[in-house]
Amino acid sequence: MIQSMVGNTIIDKNIYTFCYEQETEKITVYIGDKTIAIPDGMDVIIGQQLMTNGMNFYKLSSPLSNDCMTIIDKETKYVSLPSQMRAVEYFIEDYKENSKYTEMRLQFPELNYFIPSTGRVTVSEEEIAFSRIKATVYSFDIKYCDTIVSVSFDVKMNAHKKVKAIAETISEVTLKFPETDDLEYLTDLYFSVKNFFAFVCNRQNIGLRNAMLIGNYPQKVIRKGNVVNRIGSTNQKIFFSQKYLEPLENEKNVEKTPNGGLFYDKIKELFQLFFREKEEDLAIIDIGSIHSSFKYRNLIDLEQSLSITATFEYYVRTMLPEISSQDTVEFYNDIKDLVDGYIKTAKGKKKKKAKRFKNSLRPQVALEEKIIKLYEGYSNWSPLKSIFSQWFGDDISTLACAANLWRNELAHGKQEYRPDEKVIDAVHLVEHINYAIVLRHAEYSDEQIKSILSDILIR
């Protein structure tokens, strides 16, 4: 991808020059001295590159705007005079208008280690032979936004020759879905896949930064002197903003990507957790606690501590049986009885507020007690001790207490707790529990969970 792209775009029937800078991920539209009435909500620029004549599609972080008022043909209108600069969320290279897509393909460095492609080549003393047959390592269907998406993890080879021949093996994820022109559907699909691999790699700065979109578009061609309509196939590359990501890792760190074999047994179930099954759903997994890079995997700073403990609380609420001690339940019932008595005598708005208050009541236990409950087991949740004891010991109460005190200090800033080395182990413990909750939800066995965590988490 080139460093900057200069081209022309049409706004209000006039042609304007734009320039997109890769380094800043911003696009500038040069309006000059013309007055222009920008359509409301214009958050997309479709323009033709000057160098290649190809079309690009730019999705802006905020719409172009009219910023002054003038009189045109005796009517008062809001118009724009100066040039405008906007951040770009993503752009599509070689875009074809009215495209509809059916497939997305993803290639990135970590995938080469997750599903190695060396099986596509045979090496002997006499020759090196590449197989042109694509092999699917595993495939499955998932539900996504009221559609079925077919997922395949493939290995294949690519070769070309001019004055010399070049061949390489390739690892690729392919997603096939019903025909769509909904770019929000496609971008959310992309980020859901990325979240899965961020979880697997335990860092967010993985090399997945773009995707290939496969589809078709309507075009006009000349046949026997007549203009006719036809459907053409198209491959378009979509690039996403890297503004909030750490730089790419070096090859040494990329090599630490776990092998997909660790996850094969329940990979469909795990993969599904990162996708919204219905349009109105939320994905089950929250990757807010995933480290931003290898560097930050080795650090436990304030933000990460809060993110990891907040994710723990979220998983406890959404994926686990209710955690309540008998004392907590009895206290909750006493308060509920008091509120019921008030509701019987209250009237009007007070009665409505009391009912809403009653509905908001939930038995609550401290973070410390929740950690111990998960570690020791409760209800129909089996203990995590058999997985974690060799890393954190049998008596977890000290680390659970440290995690609770540290989270409260960060949340409330009372400056009553001074962290020590136990805090690092405590936060790592909560991170391990988060991963164990997710993997158990995907139905991995405890032995499988132990193998996975041994490979991907730092302790």
Side-chain angles (χ1 to χ4, degrees), residues 95-324:
Y95 176 72
K96 303 292 189 298
E97 292 193 82
N98 301 312
S99 292
K100 293 185 177 180
Y101 309 97
T102 58
E103 189 174 331
M104 179 184 291
R105 297 176 186 171
L106 307 163
Q107 297 176 12
F108 52 102
E110 287 79 5
L111 190 62
N112 295 330
Y113 294 92
F114 192 78
I115 48 169
S117 58
T118 53
R120 294 298 85 204
V121 61
T122 302
V123 180
S124 67
E125 293 183 0
E126 292 78 21
E127 63 178 4
I128 298 177
F130 286 82
S131 170
R132 298 188 65 89
I133 301 174
K134 182 176 75 173
T136 297
V137 179
Y138 43 88
S139 62
F140 48 85
D141 292 343
I142 60 168
K143 298 176 182 178
Y144 167 66
C145 290
D146 303 301
T147 67
I148 299 298
V149 175
S150 296
V151 183
S152 64
F153 289 70
D154 306 317
V155 290
K156 60 184 185 179
M157 65 88 66
N158 182 41
H160 62 86
K161 63 178 183 179
K162 289 184 179 179
V163 294
K164 67 176 182 178
I166 298 175
E168 65 174 345
T169 59
I170 295 171
S171 303
E172 186 173 71
V173 176
T174 302
L175 309 170
K176 295 182 179 180
F177 38 82
E179 186 177 76
T180 183
D181 58 1
D182 186 346
L183 291 176
E184 185 175 342
Y185 173 100
L186 296 171
T187 55
D188 190 60
L189 182 64
Y190 163 86
F191 281 109
S192 298
V193 177
K194 186 169 185 178
N195 289 345
F196 168 80
F197 282 101
F199 177 88
V200 166
C201 296
N202 192 224
R203 57 182 175 83
Q204 297 192 35
N205 68 328
I206 60 174
L208 180 51
R209 305 295 171 95
N210 57 66
M212 183 66 73
L213 300 176
I214 315 297
N216 55 66
Y217 69 103
Q219 61 179 169
K220 295 183 183 294
V221 297
I222 298 177
R223 288 182 178 170
K224 297 180 179 180
N226 297 317
V227 177
V228 297
N229 296 319
R230 68 180 293 271
I231 300 298
S233 60
T234 178
N235 296 355
Q236 303 169 25
K237 205 162 191 178
I238 181 169
F239 296 85
F240 294 89
S241 171
Q242 302 179 32
K243 181 178 180 181
Y244 299 106
L245 293 175
E246 290 288 308
L248 294 171
E249 298 290 345
N250 58 40
E251 185 66 21
K252 182 178 179 180
N253 286 336
V254 173
E255 289 174 359
K256 298 176 183 177
T257 303
N259 186 280
L262 283 170
F263 302 90
Y264 288 175
D265 187 47
K266 295 293 181 180
I267 194 166
K268 173 184 176 178
E269 290 79 3
L270 181 60
F271 207 74
Q272 179 69 76
L273 300 182
F274 294 84
F275 293 79
R276 296 183 288 139
E277 292 191 23
K278 297 181 179 179
E279 186 68 34
E280 65 274 13
D281 289 344
L282 294 174
I284 293 175
I285 304 305
D286 174 15
I287 68 156
S289 66
I290 303 297
H291 302 296
S292 55
S293 66
F294 257 105
K295 172 184 175 182
Y296 288 97
R297 283 178 59 175
N298 292 285
L299 302 174
I300 295 297
D301 62 17
L302 307 186
E303 182 179 358
Q304 284 189 102
S305 296
L306 275 176
S307 295
I308 289 170
T309 53
T311 297
F312 171 82
E313 297 279 16
Y314 172 71
Y315 288 162
V316 168
R317 289 195 307 272
T318 58
M319 286 195 274
L320 299 183
E322 181 68 41
I323 300 178
S324 300

